[in-house]
Amino acid sequence: MIAQANRLNQVKEYYFSSKLREVRAMAAAGKDIINLGIGSPDLPPPPQVISALNEALVNNGAHQYQPYKGTADFREAIAEFYQNHYQVQLDPDKEILPLMGSKEGITHISMAFLNEGDEVLIPNPGYPTYSSVTELVGAKAVYYDLNAEGNWMPNLKDLAQKDLSKVKIMWVNYPNMPTGASGNDSLFEELVAFAKAHEILIVNDNPYSFILNDNPKSILKAKGAKEVVLELNSLSKSFNMAGWRIGMLCGSEKNLNTVLKVKTNMDSGMFYPLQAGAASALRLNGNWFSSQNEIYQQRKNKVLELAKALDCVPEKDQIGMFVWAKIPQGKTAEGFVDFLLNKYHIFTAPGFIFGSNGEDYIRFSLCATEENIERAIKRIEK
Ligand SMILES: Cc1ncc(COP(=O)(O)O)c(C=O)c1O
């Protein structure tokens, strides 16, 4: 019997990986499951993107290894995208690193900057990968609270009172998942000042800025941000391309070169047609986002009705691809989610998987048709 590596001792299988097995088994047994659990866009990518992908398949060299830093055209498309949508100027040769989705970037950044025993500030609630990767590299997760009273934003004054001498990275994620908080310019400016004062690398994970949000923002716009901040971004949600595995990391040349040392030893470039397709997506105009958001808004209206029928109270002013709602008093998120799954065959995500501050919440995904959300409402009302 070969024992697993010690680094896996604290790491569990990703919640959705195991829970979706249960959900699939129920579906295979004939249960009509309505999936409001996971944020995997069900809508198609822009048609132009599919054409660009297909055309690129027959390009000379399309099937060879590609540059480690992505093609020059894809990096230029990313630079144009950051300029057009966030008013952030990036040097496509030095300040942009294409990634296979932002999730892989979380691992690469952690491997590139963290030593065993270093501390990492992680939001509670937050995307579970920040914690598991921190454990994988032998660093220590130090959770900071996000809560409704603080508008789901970090209390940097409180944090500054703590011993931060071992903290090397702080993960932030605005627009926030799972809470739907938007973040704002002054938060980003305060974060940059905090990073400088405590010599911490801040990484903003920014995959949701175009979903139900009229005012997309990048932390890189804050003055002096590039020196101390990295930003992850992704085409998964913005362009319905989650299965393509394509995203990007932006920041200073020095920090990106550090990440590149890890990445060049992990993969050998991304398939050329994916990069060509992604570049064409990034060059679409804002009409693409408006058309998607009309659909998401209709769905959100229905999910809010569903939440009401379940006596759940959604947070106000949320943006992004989910609805984060408080469950009725006296119930646990795990029990409530299992009850919805077993009794009504409706799958939702329990807030505790994002951390202890999510224990009284559930997360509804907007990646389901209006018709299915309507059917879910009918099941409850019945
Ligand atoms: C906060 C957050 N970061 C990163 C990701 C991963 O995105 P990608 O598909 O770009 O790897 C997700 C996906 O659900 C997410 O919610």
Side-chain angles (χ1 to χ4, degrees):
M1 181 66 177
I2 310 290
Q4 68 176 18
N6 292 342
R7 74 172 65 86
L8 286 183
N9 290 350
Q10 308 299 323
V11 177
K12 289 203 217 102
E13 187 183 354
Y14 195 52
Y15 173 83
F16 282 115
S17 160
S18 53
K19 193 72 182 178
L20 284 172
R21 261 200 306 276
E22 186 185 328
V23 173
R24 270 194 296 272
M26 288 177 76
K31 307 274 190 301
D32 177 14
I33 307 285
I34 299 175
N35 191 341
L36 301 175
I38 197 155
S40 178
D42 56 315
L43 295 163
Q48 301 89 321
V49 171
I50 306 290
S51 309
L53 172 85
N54 277 324
E55 282 160 24
L57 277 168
V58 291
N59 263 30
N60 250 349
H63 301 272
Q64 295 183 305
Y65 288 126
Q66 298 300 315
Y68 291 102
K69 279 171 68 173
T71 65
D73 184 59
F74 183 33
R75 277 184 277 108
E76 266 158 35
I78 295 172
E80 289 163 27
F81 182 80
Y82 258 76
Q83 182 66 58
N84 292 340
H85 294 283
Y86 302 120
Q87 296 77 52
V88 169
Q89 203 175 1
L90 295 172
D91 180 334
D93 290 329
K94 298 183 179 147
E95 295 176 331
I96 291 172
L97 178 61
L99 296 175
M100 296 176 191
S102 50
K103 193 172 183 179
E104 80 150 2
I106 298 170
T107 306
H108 293 339
I109 294 166
S110 302
M111 288 184 77
F113 291 100
L114 296 173
N115 292 315
E116 264 183 46
D118 283 343
E119 294 183 356
V120 181
L121 289 172
I122 295 179
N124 171 12
Y127 184 48
T129 303
Y130 309 139
S131 321
S132 46
V133 170
T134 300
E135 302 282 358
L136 272 175
V137 300
K140 185 174 168 219
V142 176
Y143 294 97
Y144 65 88
D145 289 324
L146 303 181
N147 48 42
E149 299 76 60
N151 293 324
W152 307 101
M153 294 206 255
N155 186 332
L156 295 176
K157 283 206 186 88
D158 272 7
L159 270 181
Q161 301 307 311
K162 303 215 155 97
D163 175 9
L164 300 175
S165 56
K166 289 195 185 147
V167 174
K168 220 157 163 200
I169 290 182
M170 176 178 188
W171 293 101
V172 298
N173 160 225
Y174 291 97
N176 187 258
M177 193 292 300
T179 70
S182 56
N184 56 44
D185 292 336
S186 54
L187 171 68
F188 288 158
E189 275 154 28
E190 283 164 29
L191 281 166
V192 169
F194 182 80
K196 287 187 178 169
H198 301 281
E199 290 184 48
I200 292 172
L201 175 67
I202 295 215
V203 191
N204 186 39
D205 184 13
N206 187 11
Y208 293 102
S209 51
F210 297 93
I211 315 293
L212 295 180
N213 180 20
D214 296 332
N215 197 4
K217 286 186 189 302
S218 160
I219 193 170
L220 290 169
K221 186 143 185 241
K223 200 158 169 266
K226 271 188 206 163
E227 296 156 43
V228 286
V229 161
L230 285 170
E231 184 161 87
L232 287 164
N233 213 320
S234 167
L235 283 83
S236 293
K237 324 281 176 174
S238 316
F239 297 98
N240 304 331
M241 290 161 68
W244 287 47
R245 311 308 306 129
I246 201 147
M248 67 209 76
L249 179 65
C250 305
S252 72
E253 179 179 23
K254 186 163 176 285
N255 285 335
L256 291 195
N257 280 340
T258 307
V259 176
L260 202 58
K261 276 194 201 166
V262 176
K263 188 166 160 60
T264 50
N265 284 296
M266 294 291 214
D267 67 65
S268 301
M270 268 186 285
F271 189 37
Y272 174 76
L274 294 180
Q275 300 190 61
S280 76
L282 295 174
R283 289 186 169 121
L284 289 173
N285 65 28
N287 293 342
W288 162 256
F289 297 121
S290 333
S291 67
Q292 298 306 292
N293 283 328
E294 271 175 35
I295 300 170
Y296 281 126
Q297 188 58 55
Q298 303 289 345
R299 292 176 174 190
K300 187 167 180 173
N301 296 344
K302 291 281 166 212
V303 166
L304 293 175
E305 269 181 53
L306 174 64
K308 196 164 173 215
L310 290 167
D311 286 330
C312 292
V313 184
E315 283 300 295
K316 294 204 175 63
D317 302 326
Q318 296 183 54
I319 60 174
M321 190 168 263
F322 303 97
V323 168
W324 180 243
K326 198 156 194 176
I327 57 174
Q329 240 185 357
K331 304 214 183 294
T332 67
E334 188 168 20
F336 195 65
V337 163
D338 282 344
F339 167 74
L340 290 184
L341 181 61
N342 295 324
K343 183 159 165 80
Y344 297 109
H345 304 149
I346 300 170
F347 177 50
T348 52
F352 77 86
I353 64 171
F354 305 106
S356 57
N357 287 341
E359 269 165 14
D360 295 335
Y361 291 83
I362 88 173
R363 191 194 76 173
F364 299 89
S365 162
L366 302 181
C367 300
T369 60
E370 222 182 307
E371 188 194 349
N372 272 344
I373 306 168
E374 186 94 52
R375 287 200 305 127
I377 298 170
K378 293 228 167 78
R379 283 184 195 176
I380 306 295
E381 284 173 351
K382 216 156 107 188

